[in-house]
Every structure is written in structure tokens, then in C-alpha cells.
């Protein structure tokens, strides 16, 4: 699967990429900001995404989530909090609480893979 990872903390992004590689996913595209993520989506077809919800300075990945939702691309949010601020502008998606275990990541990718194949 081609996976987009949106994470503003470089170390966490690297750890996520390594975990995805450990699970056999070599096609990982990374972005640290909303603008970078939207540019990746404009130029690369992806199968699924993992979105850090809070991207610093009161910015969230909601615009990226909306674009993914419009495209019918499955995604999960990542957060250090057990829940997200519920707003009308934030598309619903499952949440993985950081730090994400390898098993939780594997299960999320499996679920998104089933969604991708069903489309």
C-alpha cells in the first residue's frame, strides 16, 4: 500500500516510517504540514493515510482529512490524547493514541486495506 504519513515531529515521523517498513510497507510519503500533505495528495495517488491531528500552532490536519474523505481514501488520526476535539469541520475517523504500538498500527493498516479493496 502507498501510505501518507502526516507528522510534524521529525523523530515521531521517522519512527512511524520505520514501523511501517517493519510491517512490509516501503511506499511511504511523509509531510510535516497541511500544505505539504495537500501537495502530496495532488501529485501522488495513495491508498491510505495516518494523520497526526495536532500539527502545532493551533493547526490541525482537518483540511487533509477533508480532502481524503472527498477522495474516498481511508485514514486514521494519530494523537497523544485519548480523544479529539469534536467539531463539524473535522471528518470522523478512527484514532490511534501515540505512542502507537506495532500491533495497533498493523490492525489499522489491515482495516484500511480492506476499505481500499472494497472501494
Amino acid at each position: 500500500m502507498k501510505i501518507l504519513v502526516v507528522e510534524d515531529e521529525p523523530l515521531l515521523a521517522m519512527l512511524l516510517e520505520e514501523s511501517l517498513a517493519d510491517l512490509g510497507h516501503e511506499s511511504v510519503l511523509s509531510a510535516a504540514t497541511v500544505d505539504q500533505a495537500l501537495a502530496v495528495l495532488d501529485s501522488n495517488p495513495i491508498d491510505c493515510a495516518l494523520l497526526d491531528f495536532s500539527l502545532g500552532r493551533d493547526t490541525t490536519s482537518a483540511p487533509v482529512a477533508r480532502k481524503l474523505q472527498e477522495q474516498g481514501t481511508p485514514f486514521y488520526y494519530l494523537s497523544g490524547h485519548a480523544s479529539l476535539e469534536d467539531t463539524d469541520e473535522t471528518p470522523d475517523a478512527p484514532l490511534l493514541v501515540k505512542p502507537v504500538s506495532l500491533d495497533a498500527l498493523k490492525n489499522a493498516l489491515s482495516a484500511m486495506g480492506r476499505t481500499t479493496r472494497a472501494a
Side-chain angles (χ1 to χ4, degrees), residues 39-72:
V40 167
L41 291 176
D42 286 341
S43 59
N44 297 281
I46 63 159
D47 297 308
C48 63
L50 298 167
L51 309 177
D52 180 13
F53 184 73
S54 296
L55 297 175
R57 293 187 173 237
D58 298 324
T59 302
T60 72
S61 59
V64 180
R66 285 192 294 274
K67 181 153 188 144
L68 290 166
Q69 187 177 52
E70 289 167 8
Q71 295 176 340

Side-chain angles (χ1 to χ4, degrees), residues 72-103:
T73 304
F75 63 93
Y76 272 60
Y77 290 114
L78 303 171
S79 179
H81 302 282
S83 64
L84 302 178
E85 183 181 329
D86 190 19
T87 70
D88 292 337
E89 296 178 16
T90 304
D92 287 334
L95 172 65
L96 294 174
V97 178
K98 295 189 282 186
V100 179
S101 72
L102 205 54
D103 282 340

Side-chain angles (χ1 to χ4, degrees), residues 15-17 19 23 29 31 33 35 51 57 64 71 86 99 105 116:
L15 290 172
L16 257 175
E17 290 170 19
S19 295
L23 292 171
L29 303 167
T33 66
D35 288 342
L51 309 177
R57 293 187 173 237
V64 180
Q71 295 176 340
D86 190 19
L105 195 56
T116 300

